[in-house]
Amino acid sequence: MKNPLKLLFLLLAVSCSGVGTYKTDVCIYGGTSAAVTAAKSAAQNGCRVIIICPDTVLGGMTTGGLGATDIGNKQAVIGMARQFYRDLGRHYGVEEQWTFEPSAAQAILDSYVDNPDISIYRGYYLSSVRKKGTRIVSITCTDGEGGMSRTIKASSFIDASYEGDLLAMAGVSYHVGREASSIYGEEWNGSHISEYHQFKDGVDPYVEKGNPDSGLLWGIRDWKLKEEGAGDDYIQAYNFRLCLSHDKDNQIPFTKPDDYDPSVYELLVRVFESDPDPQINNYFIWSLMPGNKTDVNNRGAFSTDMIGMNHDYPEASWERRKEIIAAHKSYTLGLMWFYVSDPRVPKVLQDFVREWGWAKDEYPATGGWTHQIYVREARRMISDYVATQADCDGRTVVEDGIGYAAYSMDSHNCERILVVKDGKVMVKNEGDVEKGVGRPYPVSYRSLVPRREECTNLLVPVCVSSSHIAYGSIRMEPVFLELGQVCGLAASLAGRNPVQDVDISRIREEVGFNGN
């Protein structure tokens, strides 16, 4: 039982607006859905929790517009993750709901952290980490606006960010980019050119068709095609998932951005020219959500993914990351304006998009614009167990499984380059992989904790230890919800002991994990 005077002191301290040092049992860095379930799990098991959320909104992509849940197999969704979709079901009057509006997800996740033992600092970025031996003693975070700092001391820390900043600053090993397929004996890691989300043969890459001296169209890199399966530090493309409304009374119309440049979309015009039967589903995944809304995602050769424009994001400062995010926002706003305004857009596509607008009742503070860019992949921890394609294919035996993944091995394109085919130069996307996994497979507890010699009081539910292609399967929001719960519970069980020594039988029982 907690000391009530100690708890009162903490609550008084965190209510102050000044700079200070705060003590807690578990400190969580990141604002993802995993941060929420980690906090709820730890608090339910007797811990005081502080969440440092770099954004002003909790939930990551679960509240950021990704309402079309990437499931793979519903039977793989267990524990608090399953409860979340059942809570959504109650909201919509059904048993479970797997497609949803951002505001519905926000209300539920906010309720999960409505607990006097959970305190949240919003808009703070990690600035330093202090360690003693293999233990993190404290982290210091700075207010991105005013430069105010807060230092958090805790027994256990959880890096629940998409970026993995805490694990990196704590000196934990990690990887950025694609390993060569040969590293882990994988077929689908490294460089690949796919037929999916691809340009047809012959699409000219030059500003003036056939004239290399005129330069390349926007978005094409003069990079050489690598060998099949070659490794690099390239990151699969990011985008924004778009919540649009078809209800005229609930729409904010698409408008022309101040920095709109139609030349950015010239390559899309070339795609139109190569398409004899343009249909909206060749250019977007236009998924319908409750409330007459959407979750719009990337599809085709040229869509909402800003291919090749995010490679320095994982290791960048927050100032640089904000520039990358702003560039993606500008690109996306411009893309929607291009569709509704440019006469070169096929009429069937233009008429369709004109029926939609930003949902007025979603993200009202920002005019219908989401708070979260889709960071599909950034850093990935390297620990004693690295999940690989063999896990996805069911060729490994994981003795310490604590959750499941079930989605296909999914990588979006990483670069847009020139290739030569039959003596002709053309544009192609590179990096797409879409390979199924068959049955759900277990995620190892060792993938959530660093090597013992590197850190003994850190847990990582998002930037887990996995290869690029295995992460393409693991990196789904239901899995992050699951693994967040696991990490919160593990932190409460560890206390001041190494997280590597936690008895996972209690975790398995609480989350409902029943083996391979």
Side-chain angles (χ1 to χ4, degrees):
M1 184 175 181
K2 291 185 282 289
N3 184 327
L5 292 177
K6 189 175 181 181
L7 177 58
L8 177 61
F9 176 79
L10 173 73
L11 294 175
L12 289 173
V14 299
S15 69
C16 298
S17 59
V19 177
T21 298
Y22 308 96
K23 293 182 179 180
T24 190
D25 298 314
V26 178
C27 177
I28 300 169
Y29 181 75
T32 62
S33 58
V36 174
T37 53
K40 181 179 181 182
S41 178
Q44 284 180 339
N45 285 277
C47 291
R48 297 162 300 140
V49 180
I50 291 177
I51 301 176
I52 303 294
C53 178
D55 210 320
T56 57
V57 182
L58 283 174
M61 286 306 303
T62 296
T63 58
L66 203 169
T69 308
D70 294 315
I71 308 165
N73 185 323
K74 291 179 182 178
Q75 299 309 309
V77 183
I78 59 175
M80 207 172 281
R82 192 67 172 224
Q83 186 60 52
F84 170 72
Y85 296 104
R86 288 177 176 166
D87 289 342
L88 280 168
R90 279 195 290 274
H91 175 82
Y92 288 109
V94 295
E95 182 180 358
E96 296 175 346
Q97 184 71 22
W98 301 88
T99 58
F100 51 88
E101 300 155 277
S103 54
Q106 190 72 65
I108 292 168
L109 291 184
D110 283 349
S111 74
Y112 287 1
V113 292
D114 184 13
N115 184 319
D117 287 335
I118 301 174
S119 301
I120 306 169
Y121 297 137
R122 302 174 191 265
Y124 279 81
Y125 303 95
L126 186 65
S127 56
S128 65
V129 174
R130 189 166 71 89
K131 287 180 72 179
K132 184 176 181 180
T134 60
R135 294 186 65 83
I136 300 172
V137 175
S138 66
I139 67 172
T140 298
C141 302
T142 302
D143 182 345
E145 298 298 325
M148 294 174 57
S149 294
R150 296 184 188 274
T151 295
I152 313 298
K153 294 181 177 181
S155 298
S156 297
F157 291 82
I158 298 174
D159 187 340
S161 68
Y162 287 124
E163 294 81 11
D165 290 340
L166 177 51
L167 73 89
M169 284 195 189
V172 172
S173 298
Y174 63 89
H175 189 86
V176 174
R178 303 179 288 185
E179 300 92 348
S181 287
S182 59
I183 298 296
Y184 296 115
E186 298 171 302
E187 182 180 3
W188 296 114
N189 209 337
S191 175
H192 290 280
I193 282 193
S194 168
E195 62 184 294
Y196 302 109
H197 308 291
Q198 188 58 272
F199 295 92
K200 293 181 179 179
D201 286 352
V203 174
D204 193 290
Y206 301 115
V207 173
E208 180 184 325
K209 291 181 180 180
N211 180 10
D213 293 337
S214 66
L216 295 171
L217 291 174
W218 182 92
I220 304 172
R221 307 287 188 174
D222 190 8
W223 293 339
K224 293 182 179 179
L225 177 63
K226 296 178 288 296
E227 293 182 3
E228 184 87 356
D232 52 41
D233 59 357
Y234 297 162
I235 302 299
Q236 60 176 305
Y238 298 170
N239 73 341
F240 286 97
R241 301 291 281 258
L242 309 182
C243 184
L244 309 179
S245 174
H246 198 254
D247 181 354
K248 296 298 182 183
D249 294 329
N250 191 36
Q251 281 184 5
I252 300 173
F254 302 122
T255 55
K256 182 179 180 180
D258 292 338
D259 60 353
Y260 178 67
D261 179 359
S263 70
V264 169
Y265 313 101
E266 190 68 32
L267 185 56
L268 180 55
V269 176
R270 304 271 172 96
V271 179
F272 294 152
E273 293 170 351
S274 70
D275 187 355
D277 183 27
Q279 300 295 324
I280 198 67
N281 286 329
N282 294 337
Y283 297 90
F284 301 96
I285 300 176
W286 206 280
S287 302
L288 299 182
M289 298 295 107
N292 215 5
K293 298 171 187 173
T294 66
D295 169 359
V296 175
N297 192 17
N298 179 85
R299 174 171 277 163
F302 193 112
S303 185
T304 58
D305 278 1
M306 200 174 177
I307 297 171
M309 304 296 181
N310 61 334
H311 294 326
D312 59 340
Y313 182 92
E315 302 273 30
S317 66
W318 270 107
E319 289 73 18
R320 174 60 184 141
R321 286 177 182 167
K322 287 178 179 178
E323 293 174 355
I324 295 170
I325 293 169
H328 280 70
K329 179 179 180 180
S330 174
Y331 167 81
T332 309
L333 293 174
L335 178 67
M336 303 314 292
W337 177 248
F338 176 82
Y339 265 96
V340 301
S341 68
D342 198 292
R344 296 171 295 173
V345 176
K347 187 174 186 300
V348 64
L349 302 179
Q350 192 161 80
D351 288 348
F352 180 90
V353 178
R354 283 176 172 174
E355 290 295 314
W356 298 81
W358 307 109
K360 189 184 298 183
D361 61 347
E362 300 289 347
Y363 316 114
T366 51
W369 185 258
T370 175
H371 60 278
Q372 181 66 58
I373 190 171
Y374 197 170
V375 179
R376 291 190 171 96
E377 184 175 15
R379 297 182 178 100
R380 300 186 309 280
M381 181 170 63
I382 302 173
S383 68
D384 287 334
Y385 191 92
V386 179
T388 67
Q389 183 182 334
D391 292 78
C392 301
D393 291 341
R395 293 185 282 114
T396 55
V397 176
V398 178
E399 301 288 353
D400 60 342
I402 37 68
Y404 298 102
Y407 201 70
S408 61
M409 290 175 279
D410 178 59
S411 173
H412 284 235
N413 281 301
C414 298
E415 52 180 339
R416 181 171 287 154
I417 59 175
L418 301 179
V419 301
V420 179
K421 186 174 182 179
D422 298 327
K424 185 173 182 179
V425 178
M426 61 192 71
V427 60
K428 291 289 182 181
N429 292 329
E430 186 277 310
D432 181 86
V433 177
E434 301 175 34
K435 297 296 176 181
V437 301
R439 58 190 286 274
Y441 60 92
V443 177
S444 166
Y445 179 73
R446 286 167 291 165
S447 285
L448 311 186
V449 296
R451 294 166 175 159
R452 187 183 296 267
E453 64 270 22
E454 293 183 344
C455 193
T456 53
N457 66 335
L458 176 67
L459 296 120
V460 182
V462 177
C463 297
V464 300
S465 178
S466 62
S467 70
H468 160 74
I469 200 59
Y471 193 75
S473 171
I474 294 170
R475 63 172 183 84
M476 303 302 158
E477 292 294 301
V479 182
F480 292 157
L481 287 161
E482 285 182 23
L483 300 185
Q485 179 186 8
V486 168
C487 288
L489 178 55
S492 70
L493 295 174
R496 297 197 60 81
N497 297 314
V499 294
Q500 290 84 359
D501 294 339
V502 167
D503 181 358
I504 65 169
S505 61
R506 166 77 183 279
I507 296 174
R508 288 178 163 187
E509 179 182 358
E510 186 155 326
V511 303
F513 181 87
N514 57 12
N516 284 344

